[in-house]
Amino acid sequence: MNDVWQANWSMMTPEWIVLAAAVVLLLIDLAMPKERSRRPLAWGAAAAAVVALAVTAAMIPAEPVSILHDTFRLDGFAKAFKLILLAGGALALLLVAEWEPKEGGRYRGEFVYMMLFALLGAMMVASSGDLLTLFVSIELLTVSSYILAGLRKTATASNEAALKYVINGGIATAIMLFGMSYVFGLTGTTNLGDMARRLQETNETYMLALAFLLLLIGVSFKLATVPFHMWAPDVYEGAPVPATAFFSVVSKTAGFVLLLRLFVTMFAAAPAEGRDPSSLLLSMQPVIAVLAGLTMIIGNVVALRQRSLKRLLAYSSIAHAGYLLAGFAAMSWTMIDSLWIYLLAYVFMNIGAFAIVAHIVNETGSDDLAGLAGLYRHRPLLAAALGLFLLSLAGIPGTAGFIAKLYLFIGLVVTEPGHYVLAAVMAITTVISYVYYFNLLVQLFFRPASLAPLRRLPAGLSTAVVLCALGTLAVGWAPGLAYDVLAQFGHFGDFLP
């Protein structure tokens, strides 16, 4: 009990801000008359995320600390990825402010605070130093995401998305827990640091490999990597657009944070059978590389056949998960740095694309590719912004996406031995992605308008698009700025407990 009272709770200030905002907005929503607009709640939630972002940035110079027997850590790794999570959460909340479901905006209040609870879970994942807090945090994110996916209660597509998400999420949770139980049984502790130290001395290498594979399957479900990706397109298509944007950015970032916390911490020094290579994580590189390659190939190839904008972006998201997993499979000395840069770029280019898609869906009631036809003729700035985000997603030079893919590619070839096959797959699938991204550009700039002109972007979407465009250009033209920020966290020497 003394540890609770004497703990330095100020290190959790960003989490307290998000939690307090969620609870206060929940109570305000309950007290507000039904006919009142909930748009101010979304703006308030976005402001709370920005404040938490500023507080996290102010904590960058602080030394790594932990509380409650190392169950919560504030190290350079946690602070770096919380910046991305909070930026993505704030931008997604701007999309909520302008979300207008066909059945009316009566669920916007629930949307706001459930997204904050999900964001809180993602932040806790980044700081978890214990298996129990890690699991509870990822499930807070996951359960909140189930609700977000099914928030349009009278829409069949939304109900279907929530049901598929719950079923697949439940399977992933069960498999991941099964793997965790094996690791706990081998070590007798739930603290990640203690687990890492005790696993170095274990002789149960086959049991440890089984635990590794079970955990990898569970995390792969949450990342939507092949062959555990089939839920993602249906969920992305049926969920409200702001929720889809949130899943594609915040949930994906949290998934890779979970991957790094679990696997690098616990298995980097764990023995493999025969002790050659000496690390279980290194011995599993081929398995992870195959998953990454399949994810890149299937995500990009299936995207070629999509007519729905949300399904196309869903398969694009699967492909990008493959690129990120390839960076993890390389396990180079720049791995965490390159993943951080990629996820930062992905926040800007993906949220920006979804903001414009949200406007098109709100205006036309459909997410078919035809909604983009001739957009340049009556909304040239909007078409130019979407074109920028698509070029960045494709990885064209001068954009954030190019810099992000370049660093991942370098990580694949600078290791010894180099992962040249995986690098070739990454290059080829990137070229394949040009087909469907450029098809969207053709629709935007070279097709006659088939629908009535769209109205101007509302304030929330305009703010999100402008911020995302500036971020995409800043990372693309001046990547040194991003690395200057990353340098403030050190080289993640405090990453391992």
Side-chain angles (χ1 to χ4, degrees), residues 135 172-184 210-211 214-215:
F135 176 75
T173 298
I175 294 174
M176 189 167 65
L177 268 179
F178 199 19
M180 287 180 176
S181 69
Y182 276 115
V183 181
F184 172 72
L210 177 60
L214 289 171
L215 286 170

Side-chain angles (χ1 to χ4, degrees), residues 131-251:
L131 210 57
L132 292 177
T133 54
L134 198 63
F135 176 75
V136 171
S137 301
I138 198 68
E139 286 309 297
L140 175 59
L141 167 63
T142 303
V143 173
S144 301
S145 298
Y146 298 158
I147 299 171
L148 290 172
L151 207 55
R152 292 178 58 197
K153 303 172 188 177
T154 60
T156 303
S158 185
N159 293 335
E160 179 184 350
L163 180 61
K164 290 182 177 179
Y165 205 175
V166 168
I167 292 173
N168 286 277
I171 294 171
T173 298
I175 294 174
M176 189 167 65
L177 268 179
F178 199 19
M180 287 180 176
S181 69
Y182 276 115
V183 181
F184 172 72
L186 291 171
T187 60
T189 180
T190 58
N191 182 273
L192 295 181
D194 292 339
M195 280 183 165
R197 287 183 284 272
R198 295 182 188 183
L199 287 177
Q200 295 179 38
E201 304 168 358
T202 184
N203 294 320
E204 301 289 344
T205 52
Y206 286 110
M207 192 69 72
L208 191 57
L210 177 60
F212 182 98
L213 291 174
L214 289 171
L215 286 170
L216 182 61
I217 291 171
V219 175
S220 295
F221 264 107
K222 297 185 182 296
L223 295 174
T225 58
V226 174
F228 314 105
H229 68 292
M230 295 306 295
W231 60 271
D234 292 333
V235 171
Y236 279 39
E237 184 180 28
V241 179
T244 303
F246 185 87
F247 300 156
S248 69
V249 171
V250 176
S251 295

Side-chain angles (χ1 to χ4, degrees), residues 171-453:
I171 294 171
T173 298
I175 294 174
M176 189 167 65
L177 268 179
F178 199 19
M180 287 180 176
S181 69
Y182 276 115
V183 181
F184 172 72
L186 291 171
T187 60
T189 180
T190 58
N191 182 273
L192 295 181
D194 292 339
M195 280 183 165
R197 287 183 284 272
R198 295 182 188 183
L199 287 177
Q200 295 179 38
E201 304 168 358
T202 184
N203 294 320
E204 301 289 344
T205 52
Y206 286 110
M207 192 69 72
L208 191 57
L210 177 60
F212 182 98
L213 291 174
L214 289 171
L215 286 170
L216 182 61
I217 291 171
V219 175
S220 295
F221 264 107
K222 297 185 182 296
L223 295 174
T225 58
V226 174
F228 314 105
H229 68 292
M230 295 306 295
W231 60 271
D234 292 333
V235 171
Y236 279 39
E237 184 180 28
V241 179
T244 303
F246 185 87
F247 300 156
S248 69
V249 171
V250 176
S251 295
K252 190 174 296 297
T253 301
F256 276 96
V257 171
L258 174 67
L259 186 72
L260 292 169
R261 276 290 189 199
L262 273 178
F263 290 87
V264 177
T265 301
M266 292 197 301
F267 298 112
E273 180 64 21
R275 301 182 181 273
D276 186 24
S278 60
S279 167
L280 175 62
L281 186 60
L282 291 176
S283 71
M284 289 293 181
Q285 269 186 301
V287 176
I288 301 172
V290 168
L291 288 179
L294 289 174
T295 303
M296 289 186 285
I297 293 169
I298 293 177
N300 282 303
V301 171
V302 179
L304 297 172
R305 303 290 297 173
Q306 303 305 310
R307 290 290 306 174
S308 162
L309 284 171
K310 289 202 285 185
R311 289 187 73 88
L312 188 149
L313 290 175
Y315 281 105
S316 167
S317 179
I318 291 169
H320 284 279
Y323 301 143
L324 287 160
L325 197 59
F328 177 73
M331 295 177 195
S332 67
W333 58 273
T334 63
M335 176 182 66
I336 298 178
D337 293 5
S338 58
L339 291 181
W340 188 86
I341 293 290
Y342 199 101
L343 288 167
L344 176 66
Y346 191 66
V347 164
F348 292 129
M349 57 192 182
N350 215 46
I351 291 284
F354 270 110
I356 298 174
V357 169
H359 183 56
I360 293 171
V361 172
N362 286 340
E363 291 290 297
T364 65
S366 170
D367 68 340
D368 191 87
L369 297 186
L372 298 179
L375 184 62
Y376 178 75
R377 301 180 186 276
H378 51 84
R379 287 289 178 265
L381 291 179
L382 190 63
L386 182 54
L388 170 65
F389 300 134
L390 293 174
L391 291 173
S392 186
L393 286 166
I396 299 300
T399 63
F402 171 76
I403 295 298
K405 286 184 180 177
L406 178 64
Y407 286 135
L408 285 182
F409 189 86
I410 291 173
L412 288 169
V413 299
V414 298
T415 56
E416 186 59 43
H419 299 272
Y420 300 112
V421 174
L422 200 55
V425 171
M426 183 177 180
I428 293 169
T429 53
T430 296
V431 173
I432 292 174
S433 72
Y434 293 168
V435 176
Y436 58 86
Y437 287 130
F438 286 12
N439 178 46
L440 297 180
L441 293 175
V442 169
Q443 293 285 338
L444 284 172
F445 296 101
F446 302 106
R447 291 286 184 265
S450 58
L451 300 172

Side-chain angles (χ1 to χ4, degrees), residues 469-482:
L470 292 175
T472 300
L473 292 173
V475 177
W477 291 354
L481 294 176

